[in-house]
Amino acid sequence: MNLKRSDIIDSVICSGLKPPKEITIMITNRCNLSCHHCLPESHLHETKPMIPAREIKRLIREFIHIGIQEVCLTGGEPLLHPDWFEILSYTCKQPGLNSVRLQTNATLLTEADVDALCSLNYKGLVVQVSLEGVSAETNDTVRGPASFEKILRGLRLLTNAGLGQQVVVAFTEMAHNFPEIPNLMKLLDELGVGCFVTGALVMGGRAMSSDQLLPPTPSQYSKLLNLYHSDLQFRLLYKKMGNIAALEWYEGKSNFDETQCGCIEKPYINSDGEMYPCIMLPIKKYSIPNVFSRSLEDVILDGVPLWAELPDLNYKRSTELEKCKLCPGKKHCAGGCMGRAYTLAGDFMTVEDRCELRKIIYSWSPLYSHLCGRSN
């Protein structure tokens, strides 16, 4: 089957879905760390063979053909794929992309690796590094002994080589590390890191069985909002480099769009060659197998009938969830991410786990005052 790009996109749009814009590909499930919150539960001793670089490159090429704008290469730890740089270099050279993201824990980076990254001379390259605290005690509770110093070493290699503004540090919001956000931002700014992003802990994967990790609390969100409101220096630093969900919601960003489901705008492919409509929906019901050995056209044609119910499901959540009907933030989140909801409750028709956190934002922000029945 040899469909034209327009035929593929039309089949997606006619099903009420958004065409793919960003693809995340897990090029390996092997990882040198064993983080307590790992969603794919990656580990070092993987017995399955590595995905051939030629198949990954072929798939990326076909996604670009249908209009993908961003590619994210992830793992596991992608640097454990023997051809990771070949795959990355190939992707960066493809026309039509706005950015290529390499997600890494940075502990394996060498000077030679960083020199190779610099040699790409590609402004759209983003190196996303995971870090879970401003101290070894806090970070290593999640990522394992000595990981903090190894991550900092990797970050210094990147920033010293002039790649700092292309580095994003990703932080998982948890009860034990949330208070460190301000000091961590200061440390990263001193290192020359360009961006700091956060997301609340998902109680899936290894986190489900961990007795050490808990999501952030509403009171912690309230304290962060108070700091943002009262501390000019923190606010300026945030404007410079921050992207924290709580503060983005406070500013009224990321509003919910009930007209279309974001799936399959950001599809996800795991190292088993299974394609899902979204990284937050790794549910067997919605998976298409053998992606690395089939044409993308066939994969999408198989997937669209499965994914076509998602926009209606998304709309149903936005109108029928009882807990949302009187909430001032109904039009902002409409029950939140249905993938997070399903991960925790096994049911799409429940609100997601950040509901109480969002309500703190709605109680603070003047943007929602008319919905709360009060004046600014």
Side-chain angles (χ1 to χ4, degrees):
M1 189 171 293
N2 186 24
L3 290 179
K4 296 179 180 178
R5 168 180 168 175
S6 59
D7 294 328
I8 302 171
I9 298 303
D10 286 348
S11 71
V12 172
I13 294 175
C14 287
S15 297
L17 297 159
K18 291 184 178 180
K21 290 185 178 179
E22 175 184 340
I23 179 68
T24 297
I25 303 176
M26 179 192 284
I27 65 173
T28 178
N29 193 40
R30 297 182 188 181
C31 190
N32 59 308
L33 301 182
S34 295
C35 301
H36 294 297
H37 64 341
C38 182
L39 270 175
E41 302 187 55
S42 302
H43 49 84
L44 182 58
H45 302 293
E46 177 63 69
T47 58
K48 291 176 294 187
M50 289 287 185
I51 309 160
R54 66 178 181 278
E55 296 300 338
I56 299 173
K57 292 191 291 184
R58 187 268 307 168
L59 190 62
I60 290 170
R61 186 168 61 249
E62 292 188 6
F63 265 109
I64 292 172
H65 176 70
I66 66 168
I68 222 76
Q69 297 172 7
E70 300 178 32
V71 173
C72 175
L73 302 175
T74 189
E77 170 50 53
L79 268 64
L80 285 175
H81 193 296
D83 301 318
W84 71 269
F85 185 73
E86 176 188 341
I87 297 166
L88 177 67
S89 177
Y90 175 86
T91 307
C92 291
K93 293 174 183 176
Q94 300 308 300
L97 291 177
N98 293 332
S99 72
V100 178
R101 182 179 298 258
L102 177 69
Q103 291 186 335
T104 175
N105 59 43
T107 62
L108 299 178
L109 281 174
T110 65
E111 291 185 10
D113 292 332
V114 174
D115 287 343
L117 292 174
C118 291
S119 73
L120 294 173
N121 195 28
Y122 176 57
K123 297 301 182 183
L125 174 66
V126 176
V127 182
Q128 180 174 312
V129 176
S130 300
L131 182 62
E132 310 300 358
V134 75
S135 67
E137 180 181 4
T138 307
N139 175 85
D140 294 0
T141 296
V142 183
R143 296 193 169 270
S147 58
F148 180 75
E149 291 302 329
K150 292 177 183 177
I151 294 167
L152 281 189
R153 177 182 175 278
L155 286 172
R156 290 191 180 100
L157 285 174
L158 290 164
T159 56
N160 290 342
L163 293 173
Q165 293 306 300
Q166 292 172 258
V167 172
V168 173
V169 166
F171 172 90
T172 307
E173 300 171 4
M174 293 171 272
H176 82 284
N177 68 0
F178 196 86
E180 293 190 357
I181 286 177
N183 287 334
L184 180 55
M185 289 180 63
K186 291 178 183 177
L187 171 64
L188 297 176
D189 186 47
E190 290 170 1
L191 287 175
V193 169
C195 186
F196 172 74
V197 301
T198 79
L201 174 69
V202 179
M203 295 301 292
R206 289 202 189 107
M208 292 179 65
S209 58
S210 173
D211 58 1
Q212 303 179 57
L213 307 182
L214 293 171
T217 66
S219 65
Q220 288 177 323
Y221 263 44
S222 186
K223 289 178 181 178
L224 182 69
L225 285 164
N226 183 63
L227 181 67
Y228 181 76
H229 184 75
S230 61
D231 189 322
L232 176 61
Q233 294 304 312
F234 175 74
R235 195 159 61 248
L236 290 174
L237 180 57
Y238 181 78
K239 297 289 186 183
K240 176 182 178 181
M241 67 180 305
N243 189 325
I244 299 172
L247 301 182
E248 296 300 287
W249 295 339
Y250 176 78
E251 296 290 351
K253 300 174 184 177
S254 303
N255 284 330
F256 176 73
D257 176 9
E258 65 182 26
T259 62
Q260 278 189 309
C261 177
C263 306
I264 57 171
E265 203 170 25
K266 297 182 178 182
Y268 164 67
I269 297 170
N270 68 16
S271 60
D272 290 325
E274 297 168 328
M275 178 171 165
Y276 297 90
C278 171
I279 198 166
M280 291 306 300
L281 280 172
I283 302 168
K284 283 294 181 182
K285 177 182 178 181
Y286 297 116
S287 69
I288 304 298
N290 305 320
V291 172
F292 293 116
S293 59
R294 305 167 60 198
S295 73
L296 181 59
E297 293 88 347
D298 288 345
V299 169
I300 290 182
L301 285 180
D302 283 353
V304 164
L306 295 180
W307 306 326
E309 68 179 55
L310 294 172
D312 289 340
L313 179 58
N314 205 41
Y315 181 75
K316 183 179 181 181
R317 284 170 50 79
S318 74
T319 56
E320 297 183 15
L321 286 174
E322 288 296 326
K323 196 170 181 178
C324 300
K325 289 183 177 179
L326 298 179
C327 178
K330 176 184 176 181
K331 291 293 184 180
H332 180 268
C333 81
C337 170
M338 61 184 180
R340 290 184 71 112
Y342 189 90
T343 296
L344 271 75
D347 182 0
F348 285 117
M349 292 307 294
T350 59
V351 297
E352 58 130 290
D353 56 314
R354 296 175 295 179
C355 179
E356 298 306 314
L357 299 177
R358 290 180 184 268
K359 286 180 179 178
I360 292 295
I361 314 303
Y362 305 147
S363 69
W364 268 78
S365 177
L367 294 166
Y368 306 104
S369 60
H370 65 292
L371 298 171
C372 297
R374 65 181 195 274
S375 59
N376 292 341

